[in-house]
């Protein structure tokens, strides 16, 4: 029972980190039709900025988190205007892949040059250390914090895209850009805001998940397959699909590493193959909720 409880807690926490990072990719892919392989690099940038802010600048964890998300978004907005705007809705997916994977390698090289090839840590505050009682069991406080952050992200995104004018205008701009523009919707501003939202979520996940997905210079290349797997299983553009996929894959991967550690990530990819065999278009294809 102790082992099963540990698998459940660690699997859900791991799944929530995958969800926070991947849902931004899902939104940009499902709503803006962009295969953004640099999404993992944005998560890495957020983590590195937070590590620098906490360890070198001496900022507290919360301030480092806010600074990391804000600076990552500000640093990537020029990329949206200069690069991404040229490929929105492009039928040439190869151009999207080449552009974004090239950008990933540029960011990886820049991180290597600026911060060196060593592993980086984000020190946890005393508040997130120790354990929290959950009935007769106790779980690590940081795991509980990550799970709560993932749940809040899920609810917040659903509300933003389904219950606000922003979400309505965004879906209208995606479905028929010409008609949306004729009705006075500023599609360029909507796309910019959506890109910033996706980048901010990536940075947030990169900071919160540093304990589970360690920060190192090849983070963006090592983990982008995990993020793409969540989008593929959940269905591009689906918030709840991304959450279901991230939790399912996170729990399966954690269970495999607990029970048969020598198999590495075998169970993650085995589950991915089986799920896509049954649902080739993902759990919730093309749905935002």
């Amino acid at each position: 029972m102790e082992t099963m409880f540990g698998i459940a807690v660690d699997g859900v926490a791991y799944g929530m980190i995958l969800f926070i990072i991947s849902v931004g990719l899902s939104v940009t892919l499902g709503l803006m039709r962009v295969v953004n392989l640099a999404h993992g690099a944005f998560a890495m940038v957020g983590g590195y900025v937070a590590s620098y802010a906490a360890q070198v600048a001496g900022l507290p964890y919360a301030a480092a988190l806010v600074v990391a998300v804000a600076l990552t978004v500000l640093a990537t907005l020029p990329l949206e205007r200069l690069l991404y705007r040229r490929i929105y809705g492009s039928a040439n997916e190869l151009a999207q892949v080449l552009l974004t994977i090239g950008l990933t390698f540029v960011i990886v090289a820049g991180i290597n040059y600026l911060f060196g090839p060593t592993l980086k840590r984000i020190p946890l505050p005393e508040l997130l250390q120790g354990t929290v009682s959950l009935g007769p069991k106790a779980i690590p406080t940081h795991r509980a914090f990550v799970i709560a952050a993932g749940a809040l992200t899920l609810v917040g995104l659903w509300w933003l895209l389904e219950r606000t004018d922003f979400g309505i205008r965004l879906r209208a701009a995606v479905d028929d850009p010409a008609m949306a523009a004729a009705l006075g919707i500023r599609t360029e501003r909507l796309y910019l805001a959506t890109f910033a939202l996706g980048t901010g979520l990536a940075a947030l996940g990169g900071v919160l998940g540093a304990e589970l997905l360690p920060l190192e210079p090849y983070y963006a290349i090592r983990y982008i397959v995990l993020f793409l797997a969540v989008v593929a299983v959940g269905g591009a553009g689906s918030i709840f699909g991304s959450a279901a996929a991230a939790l399912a894959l996170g729990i399966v991967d954690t269970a495999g590493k607990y029970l048969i550690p020598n198999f590495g990530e075998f169970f993650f990819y085995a589950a991915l193959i089986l799920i896509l065999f049954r649902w080739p278009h993902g759990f919730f294809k093309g749905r935002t909720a």
Side-chain angles (χ1 to χ4, degrees):
M1 289 301 296
E2 289 287 341
T3 300
M4 297 305 295
F5 183 76
I7 290 173
V9 171
D10 288 348
V12 171
Y14 180 43
M16 283 302 188
I17 291 300
L18 292 179
F19 165 70
I20 294 173
I21 298 176
S22 303
V23 72
L25 177 59
S26 179
V27 168
T28 55
L29 178 58
L31 297 181
M32 299 163 68
R33 311 293 192 266
V34 175
V35 184
N36 184 17
L37 297 185
H39 193 77
F42 299 156
M44 178 179 68
V45 169
Y48 268 81
V49 171
S51 176
Y52 182 88
Q55 292 192 299
V56 179
L59 294 180
Y61 184 84
L65 174 62
V66 173
V67 167
V69 173
L71 289 184
T72 303
V73 171
L74 289 175
T76 54
L77 287 183
L79 299 177
E80 191 276 342
R81 185 169 183 82
L82 296 175
L83 299 177
Y84 285 88
R85 192 166 294 184
R86 301 173 183 272
I87 59 173
Y88 286 154
S90 173
N92 188 354
E93 288 84 1
L94 179 60
Q96 297 179 1
V97 168
L98 290 176
L99 172 65
T100 55
I101 198 65
L103 182 59
T104 298
F105 284 118
V106 169
I107 294 174
V108 167
I111 290 292
N112 255 309
Y113 177 78
L114 292 173
F115 297 98
T118 58
L119 193 74
K120 300 298 180 182
R121 292 185 61 257
I122 304 175
L124 293 177
E126 185 176 347
L127 184 63
L128 295 181
Q129 299 176 15
T131 59
V132 178
S133 296
L134 189 65
K137 304 290 185 180
I139 64 174
T141 305
H142 180 256
R143 299 289 197 272
F145 175 69
V146 166
I147 293 170
L152 289 174
T153 301
L154 174 63
V155 174
L157 274 178
W158 172 82
W159 177 81
L160 179 66
L161 296 179
E162 294 294 324
R163 292 293 184 267
T164 66
D165 288 342
F166 172 81
I168 294 171
R169 291 171 181 267
L170 177 60
R171 293 197 301 274
V174 169
D175 291 338
D176 194 335
M179 179 59 71
L183 293 173
I185 296 176
R186 301 292 295 272
T187 56
E188 290 186 354
R189 290 186 179 181
L190 279 175
Y191 288 161
L192 179 65
T194 305
F195 182 85
L197 175 64
T199 302
L201 288 169
L204 176 64
V207 177
L208 295 179
E211 297 290 316
L212 300 172
L213 299 177
L215 293 168
E216 44 94 10
Y218 294 99
Y219 177 106
I221 300 171
R222 184 185 302 276
Y223 298 122
I224 187 60
V225 176
L226 303 183
F227 309 145
L228 289 171
V230 171
V231 175
V233 171
S238 172
I239 298 171
F240 290 119
S242 294
L247 289 173
L249 293 174
I251 291 173
V252 168
D253 189 37
T254 301
K257 291 177 178 177
Y258 260 79
L259 302 175
I260 315 178
N262 291 336
F263 275 60
E265 295 179 343
F266 168 82
F267 292 101
F268 180 94
Y269 291 106
L272 173 63
I273 292 170
L274 292 174
I275 292 172
L276 290 180
F277 180 79
R278 174 59 181 84
W279 294 281
H281 300 294
F283 291 149
F284 301 90
K285 179 188 177 184
R287 294 174 55 187
T288 55

